[in-house]
Amino acid sequence: MTSVLDTDVATTAPLTSEKVLVLDFGSQYAQLIARRVREAHVYCEIVRHDLSADRIRQIAPQGLILSGGPASVYEQGAPHCDPAIFKLGIPVLGICYGMQLACEALGGKVQNAPAREFGRARCEIVEPDGLFAGLPHEIDVWMSHGDQVTRVSAEFEPLARTATCPITAVRHRALPVYGLQFHPEVTHTAYGAQVLANFLTSVCKLSGSWRLEDFATATIDRIRQCVANGRVICGLSGGVDSSVVAALLYQAIGERLSCILVDNGLLRKNEEAAVIREFTTHFKTDLHVVKAEDKFLAALAGVVEPQEKRRRIGHAFIECFTDEATHISGARFLAQGTLYPDVIESGASADGPAATIKLHHNVGGLPENLEFELIEPLRDLFKDEVRRLGEQLGLPPEIVWRHPFPGPGLAVRCLGEVTRERLDRLRDADAILIDEIRQAGLYREVSQAFAVLLPVQSVGVMGDARTYEDAIAIRSVNTDDFMTADWSHLPYDLLARVSTRVINEVRGVNRVVYDISSKPPATIEWE
């Protein structure tokens, strides 16, 4: 199935004539660059690093940003761009690997540096205009490189330096080509956002006209045109993405929206009731609730391997969803909460990055022969943009700011065998954790928090009796992008209250532990 709302970047970037492309050379920060550009109110997309100059001319962006990357430009097989892009007259900003690539293509030399730079460095600005307009003489920047530009042609002018990197920033004298060895997109670089803003406004001459409010208005109009008098089915999970899709569709077509909530028994405590309340009272949609807890528990009986859990859950979901969908009269369209990172990572865009990181279908891998046209109204947005859109559409804060929840639900937080008894135990512990975090005023401060039921028991003492019961692990992380994350430094008194309440109120638990692992090397979820 292909989305009927797909936009071809060659013809029109959504809602604005101003757009910038990020050529992705495998950087872990490529999505972060795009987000920072959008925060400056300029629409931005991530594309393949080898996009031809002719294709870029068709797309007609006002700026190009070459991302960083893990390779060395002088290695055989290292990713390169079409050198003709530097002659298009479009402003180019190379970041780290992107700077090295631009300098090499235009007569410079890149070599392995005698002193590598990883982490913060003090950067001296020698040319305060252009990229560095309005900045102090010295700033802290974030470096992550083993190679550096050791020589540039006479056509380049140096703009900044560090103690170990004499060519930290450059500008071509004749072409609108700039380079930065440091990463302005990360928060560790002081004034990084201003450096990017200077590139967008002073170099690219962009006004910053892209607004999320305009996105909502234009997307609602596009949905109305595509759907006409048809009916749309939307799968609800209780998460922010599907909820925002449903709210957007409701604004567009009202009661011709039918939502399906599959109660698989793997939701958080009271989550089903909250979804039903929101989408039958606030948004008066045609809501279908499929009671399927027994079906899912039967499918998961005796299964402990995480991937097998996912496979069985996905198969059961497809059966439930498709069966209910076929009973909704007049439905021609199926809506999904696909986000822009999903499009990038699944390789779903012809111009997007070539590497496929994961296969993706938000509603659980629905078969291609399902007779619906697909609507993905959020496929151009990042998560933070989706949350802001949800607020504009009138969704309550408890839905908009709800912490992320895995597709397989509590099954992958219930380590070991999944049973109704163990799920209830986990649900109760998780609810206590979230309640205490909310009461402490920290729910919006942490990015994601949840409980994990471990498949181990330990000895304890309650009263005068010996116990041998389950352990609950508490996980809480802080992150900007969920690609990397650090464990939350929650107050000791908060952790103490959580532990006391869980042990006292949740039958079968006598121990609570706190996960202090960062990502990497650990992942956020345990399975």
Side-chain angles (χ1 to χ4, degrees):
M1 292 182 291
T2 58
S3 176
V4 298
L5 296 184
D6 276 355
T7 54
D8 182 355
V9 67
T11 58
T12 173
L15 321 174
T16 177
S17 60
E18 296 185 343
K19 52 186 172 289
V20 167
L21 301 183
V22 175
L23 276 63
D24 183 14
F25 293 89
S27 171
Q28 62 177 319
Y29 297 134
Q31 292 188 30
L32 194 54
I33 296 171
R35 286 179 58 197
R36 294 289 180 258
V37 173
R38 290 191 186 190
E39 286 169 3
H41 302 297
V42 174
Y43 184 75
C44 183
E45 287 193 355
I46 301 172
V47 298
R48 301 172 63 97
H49 66 270
D50 56 355
L51 216 59
S52 70
D54 285 342
R55 177 60 177 155
I56 291 174
R57 189 182 291 109
Q58 285 181 326
I59 297 171
Q62 283 71 48
L64 300 174
I65 298 178
L66 312 186
S67 81
S72 294
V73 298
Y74 48 78
E75 291 177 345
Q76 185 174 2
H80 282 70
C81 60
D82 183 347
I85 69 172
F86 300 112
K87 304 298 177 64
L88 291 174
I90 301 171
V92 177
L93 175 63
I95 296 176
C96 196
Y97 183 90
M99 169 183 165
Q100 297 165 13
L101 198 65
C103 289
E104 183 192 57
L106 296 171
K109 181 74 171 177
V110 178
Q111 292 178 302
N112 189 255
R116 300 184 301 171
E117 287 183 307
F118 293 95
R120 284 186 175 85
R122 193 68 175 166
C123 178
E124 178 189 356
I125 296 170
V126 297
E127 174 51 65
D129 296 328
L131 286 185
F132 299 111
L135 271 65
H137 177 62
E138 288 190 346
I139 61 173
D140 287 328
V141 298
W142 186 261
M143 294 286 200
S144 181
H145 66 99
D147 299 333
Q148 60 181 240
V149 177
T150 56
R151 188 185 75 244
V152 291
S153 71
E155 295 300 314
F156 276 99
E157 176 186 6
L159 303 178
R161 61 185 172 225
T162 69
T164 57
C165 184
I167 307 177
T168 297
V170 292
R171 173 179 62 197
H172 198 278
R173 298 180 191 275
L175 302 173
V177 177
Y178 294 74
L180 298 172
Q181 185 58 67
F182 61 86
H183 289 271
E185 70 274 20
V186 302
T187 55
H188 306 300
T189 293
Y191 302 99
Q194 187 171 342
V195 172
L196 286 174
N198 285 342
F199 173 71
L200 298 171
T201 56
S202 300
V203 179
C204 300
K205 307 301 182 184
L206 298 176
S207 63
S209 59
W210 189 71
R211 294 291 187 276
L212 204 57
E213 296 87 345
D214 299 330
F215 174 91
T217 302
T219 302
I220 287 169
D221 288 342
R222 287 166 59 208
I223 291 171
R224 285 174 180 156
Q225 291 173 13
C226 288
V227 173
N229 294 322
R231 178 169 289 277
V232 180
I233 295 174
C234 177
L236 280 177
S237 66
V240 61
D241 302 337
S242 65
S243 297
V244 171
V245 167
L248 198 62
L249 287 164
Y250 182 77
Q251 295 277 357
I253 61 173
E255 294 181 358
R256 287 182 289 116
L257 169 65
S258 294
C259 295
I260 298 176
L261 172 64
V262 177
D263 178 9
N264 55 14
L266 306 173
L267 302 177
R268 289 172 282 203
K269 192 167 186 177
N270 300 324
E271 192 154 43
E272 178 191 353
V275 172
I276 292 173
R277 180 173 61 252
E278 189 61 30
F279 286 93
T280 55
T281 57
H282 187 176
F283 299 101
K284 300 184 185 302
T285 61
D286 174 36
L287 180 61
H288 299 244
V289 180
V290 181
K291 296 289 189 179
E293 181 180 16
D294 291 342
K295 180 183 181 71
F296 279 81
L297 289 180
L300 291 168
V303 178
V304 298
E305 204 278 320
Q307 288 303 97
E308 182 62 16
K309 286 181 182 179
R310 284 182 165 83
R311 191 189 69 80
R312 294 195 181 201
I313 291 168
H315 183 73
F317 181 88
I318 290 170
E319 288 185 353
C320 293
F321 191 92
T322 54
D323 179 67
E324 188 65 28
T326 57
H327 290 88
I328 298 176
S329 177
R332 288 180 45 218
F333 301 91
L334 175 66
Q336 287 192 162
T338 307
L339 305 189
Y340 191 47
D342 299 322
V343 176
I344 296 168
E345 294 175 356
S346 64
S349 171
D351 289 330
T356 297
I357 299 172
K358 65 181 180 181
L359 297 176
H360 172 78
H361 261 301
N362 261 35
V363 294
L366 295 175
E368 287 291 326
N369 60 3
L370 196 62
E371 295 181 357
F372 293 101
E373 295 180 73
L374 189 60
I375 293 177
E376 295 176 313
L378 306 182
R379 63 183 282 119
D380 293 320
L381 300 185
F382 288 103
K383 190 78 169 188
D384 55 329
E385 294 169 333
V386 172
R387 292 191 191 280
R388 298 205 312 272
L389 180 60
E391 288 183 318
Q392 292 172 18
L393 293 171
L395 283 170
E398 57 267 24
I399 288 182
V400 172
W401 295 100
R402 183 170 292 160
H403 289 178
F405 192 56
L410 294 180
V412 292
R413 295 178 180 174
C414 183
L415 278 56
E417 186 175 5
V418 179
T419 66
R420 184 177 281 104
E421 180 185 20
R422 298 191 78 226
L423 286 169
D424 287 341
R425 193 169 296 159
L426 173 58
R427 236 186 302 268
D428 289 343
D430 186 76
I432 290 171
L433 169 66
I434 298 304
D435 179 58
E436 288 294 339
I437 288 177
R438 286 188 187 279
Q439 289 192 49
L442 296 176
Y443 188 78
R444 293 274 293 272
E445 301 299 317
V446 302
S447 305
Q448 188 174 6
F450 55 91
V452 179
L453 181 61
L454 304 183
V456 295
Q457 287 75 44
S458 65
V459 174
V461 178
M462 291 186 177
D464 294 323
R466 175 185 182 275
T467 61
Y468 190 63
E469 295 179 333
D470 288 339
I472 286 285
I474 299 302
R475 182 72 159 141
S476 181
V477 298
N478 286 36
T479 177
D480 290 327
D481 50 26
F482 290 89
M483 292 184 288
T484 62
D486 194 13
W487 58 278
S488 305
H489 293 238
L490 296 178
Y492 289 158
D493 58 343
L494 169 59
L495 292 173
R497 289 195 301 273
V498 172
S499 177
T500 299
R501 283 192 59 190
V502 168
I503 291 173
N504 286 342
E505 298 176 29
V506 182
R507 294 284 184 178
V509 175
N510 67 356
R511 191 175 299 271
V512 175
V513 298
Y514 189 46
D515 181 350
I516 58 170
S517 309
S518 296
K519 175 190 179 183
T523 54
I524 295 176
E525 296 286 347
W526 277 49
E527 287 191 341

